[in-house]
Amino acid sequence: MIKRRRFLNVATSSLGGFSMAYLLGSCSQQSQKNVANSSSSLAIKTKVLRMGYQSAGDLVRNRQVLEKRLDPLGIKVEWLQFAQGPQLMEGMAARRVDIGSVGETPPIFAQVAGSDIVYVVGTQRNAGTGRSSVIAVPPESPLTKFEEIKGQEVYFQKGSASHYFMLRALQSIGLTIKDIKIKSMATIEARAAFLEGKIPVWMTGDPHYAIAEKMNRIRVLRDSVGLDSPGGYYIADRKFAQENPGVLKILIEELHALDKWAEVNRDEVKKLMITQQKLDEDVAERVMSRRTFAGRRGLSPALIAEQQRVADLFFKEGVIPKKINISDALLPSDLYAAITPPEIMV
């Protein structure tokens, strides 16, 4: 993890001159830097891929699927851990991370702060998505329902996916974000205090939720099911993405395949949680009971519109100081078509 710092203001570079002629090479020009698993090859310049992941863990890291694809190309994968999405975005702004996985909210805050990022691929959602993210109180709390939250101190990481979750949950009962007292704290930092009954309202997710459940120290007021989040994303530093579209293609292909594998090998995923994340077996069981593997979603016009809706809501509610355009954090559409499997471009 890195210490929190202000996002660096970096100039937004144009992709106008980034043509497919630069990206697509002929078979005769292929080298160790080129990806040749399709009819065309995409440029790869890097020798190191710095992947950011959050403290809750990352199945991509645990399964080492990127290493299996990139090692033969002479590319080393380095993993950097961060408390949550906002910290990961700060690491990317500081040019310590090339690609990372975050919720729908962190890239919006990063874009507001001037970070030069691009969306790589999104996440599908289904009817069960959101059961692992909750707004909760200690068992002894006088609060009995979510509608009683007005005026309460609520602990969550500002700029994280919890921020959008809370905003939409409050909207559903006719309140605004100004009707609560936000105390910004990373989930992993807040857990111990919550378990001791020192935090009145906590927004959390698995595995922290499952750990608190095991200890009988949590009572859920509501989860995030049905609150119309577009889902999470893999985000990249723009310069890295421009120079390494072949790496992006490999990443998306491996994510797509990993989701399919995980859905039919849920016991294997649970074992990885136990061995790699050091979770107790019963905690891992609880996590898996709520976890979905709905698959990836390409940066289609429909998904871009959904993410724009989130950004517009943050601006409308006064959470961010200026209106932003998600299109400013995108790669050219023809590049997305080149790196994204057609079946997930929905």
Side-chain angles (χ1 to χ4, degrees):
M1 293 189 290
I2 65 171
K3 294 182 178 179
R4 296 205 61 198
R5 65 188 71 180
R6 294 177 62 89
F7 284 153
L8 300 178
N9 291 322
V10 293
T12 302
S13 58
S14 170
L15 286 176
F18 189 63
S19 68
M20 290 302 289
Y22 169 78
L23 294 171
L24 303 177
S26 67
C27 292
S28 62
Q29 294 173 322
Q30 290 176 5
S31 69
Q32 197 176 39
K33 292 184 179 181
N34 292 340
V35 179
N37 56 359
S38 63
S39 59
S40 59
S41 60
L42 295 168
I44 297 179
K45 289 188 175 182
T46 191
K47 285 295 184 180
V48 178
L49 169 60
R50 300 170 301 175
M51 292 289 298
Y53 73 104
Q54 298 181 39
S55 58
D58 194 315
L59 184 60
V60 181
R61 172 176 173 267
N62 293 343
R63 285 278 292 170
Q64 297 187 318
V65 294
L66 292 178
E67 287 84 347
K68 293 172 185 176
R69 286 288 299 277
L70 295 175
D71 280 352
L73 301 179
I75 300 171
K76 179 182 178 182
V77 181
E78 296 179 352
W79 293 91
L80 295 90
Q81 187 180 44
F82 297 87
Q84 280 184 251
Q87 289 88 340
L88 194 157
M89 289 286 88
E90 290 169 3
M92 189 170 293
R95 297 294 173 85
R96 295 185 61 191
V97 181
D98 300 316
I99 303 175
S101 175
V102 296
E104 81 288 293
T105 302
I108 291 172
F109 278 68
Q111 195 176 343
V112 169
S115 293
D116 206 8
I117 58 172
V118 292
Y119 290 80
V120 177
V121 70
T123 307
Q124 296 276 6
R125 296 175 69 82
N126 58 32
T129 303
R131 292 190 297 132
S132 62
S133 297
V134 297
I135 300 169
V137 295
E140 64 275 10
S141 171
L143 301 183
T144 60
K145 54 185 178 180
F146 180 64
E147 286 75 9
E148 298 170 345
I149 198 172
K150 186 174 182 179
Q152 295 292 319
E153 289 186 351
V154 182
Y155 285 71
F156 65 88
Q157 174 78 66
K158 283 185 176 180
S160 70
S162 293
H163 213 145
Y164 179 68
F165 172 13
M166 176 54 74
L167 192 157
R168 288 289 294 117
L170 289 168
Q171 274 194 330
S172 72
I173 58 171
L175 299 178
T176 73
I177 203 78
K178 297 177 183 178
D179 288 314
I180 62 170
K181 301 171 185 176
I182 299 174
K183 300 295 182 180
S184 186
M185 184 180 293
T187 299
I188 194 168
E189 296 171 4
R191 189 176 76 193
F194 179 81
L195 293 174
E196 294 173 3
K198 297 178 180 178
I199 288 178
V201 184
W202 186 37
M203 301 187 70
T204 189
D206 282 326
H208 312 290
Y209 172 22
I211 291 169
E213 270 189 316
K214 179 181 179 179
M215 299 175 67
N216 295 315
R217 289 298 304 156
I218 191 168
R219 179 158 50 82
V220 174
L221 297 181
R222 75 154 299 163
D223 58 30
S224 67
V225 173
L227 291 183
D228 64 17
S229 165
Y233 298 91
Y234 272 80
I235 304 295
D237 172 79
R238 182 184 293 276
K239 185 174 185 293
F240 181 89
Q242 288 177 333
E243 294 180 349
N244 299 279
V247 172
L248 304 187
K249 186 175 190 294
I250 288 173
L251 171 68
I252 296 172
E253 288 173 349
E254 291 305 317
L255 290 172
H256 186 43
L258 184 60
D259 287 333
K260 292 180 178 179
W261 174 87
E263 186 57 38
V264 297
N265 293 277
R266 298 181 70 86
D267 285 343
E268 292 300 315
V269 177
K270 184 177 72 173
K271 290 177 183 178
L272 285 170
M273 289 181 176
I274 295 168
T275 59
Q276 300 297 319
Q277 293 178 240
K278 310 303 181 185
L279 298 180
D280 292 342
E281 184 173 356
D282 55 346
V283 170
E285 186 69 43
R286 291 175 187 268
V287 173
M288 287 304 299
S289 72
R290 292 185 284 259
R291 185 158 184 182
T292 60
F293 298 98
R296 299 296 149 177
R297 187 178 179 190
L299 267 297
S300 64
L303 179 55
I304 295 165
E306 289 178 34
Q307 184 69 356
Q308 185 65 56
R309 171 180 50 76
V310 176
D312 291 345
L313 181 60
F314 275 125
F315 176 68
K316 178 182 176 182
E317 295 297 318
V319 178
I320 57 176
K322 64 181 181 180
K323 185 178 175 63
I324 63 166
N325 292 317
I326 299 301
S327 60
D328 293 337
L330 296 176
L331 295 166
S333 58
D334 54 356
L335 179 53
Y336 282 123
I339 66 176
T340 309
E343 61 265 33
I344 68 170
M345 191 62 79
V346 296

